Amino acid sequence: IVAFFDTAVGAKVEPASYVRIAEALGVQASDVLFLSDAGRELEAATAAGCQVRLCVRPGSPAAREGAGFERVTSFDAVP
């Protein structure tokens, strides 16, 4: 984990928020890997050009709402 961003950059369901994160890091959006258990957040990050992975945790509803996203179950599975 390189950095942490809260809602100060904008709503997590807005693509512009992920563009601002990449700018703050000084990298292209395509260099950012965004992990979430929320499908709408992954959709927004994808629209901004980020790489995304769906985090599936025991008891998480992520499996139902993250159809179509590559899944990870632990940080060990993140490239």
Side-chain angles (χ1 to χ4, degrees), residues 1-5 9 17-34 50:
I1 298 174
V2 176
F4 173 82
F5 295 90
V9 295
S17 299
Y18 300 96
V19 171
R20 284 191 285 278
I21 289 171
E23 289 171 350
L25 293 171
V27 299
Q28 297 293 314
S30 60
D31 293 328
V32 174
L33 173 61
F34 178 69
C50 297

Side-chain angles (χ1 to χ4, degrees), residues 27-59:
V27 299
Q28 297 293 314
S30 60
D31 293 328
V32 174
L33 173 61
F34 178 69
L35 306 171
S36 178
D37 64 354
R40 288 185 60 211
E41 293 175 3
L42 295 174
E43 290 168 1
T46 298
C50 297
Q51 301 175 57
V52 300
R53 300 291 184 280
L54 175 69
C55 293
V56 179
R57 299 173 288 157

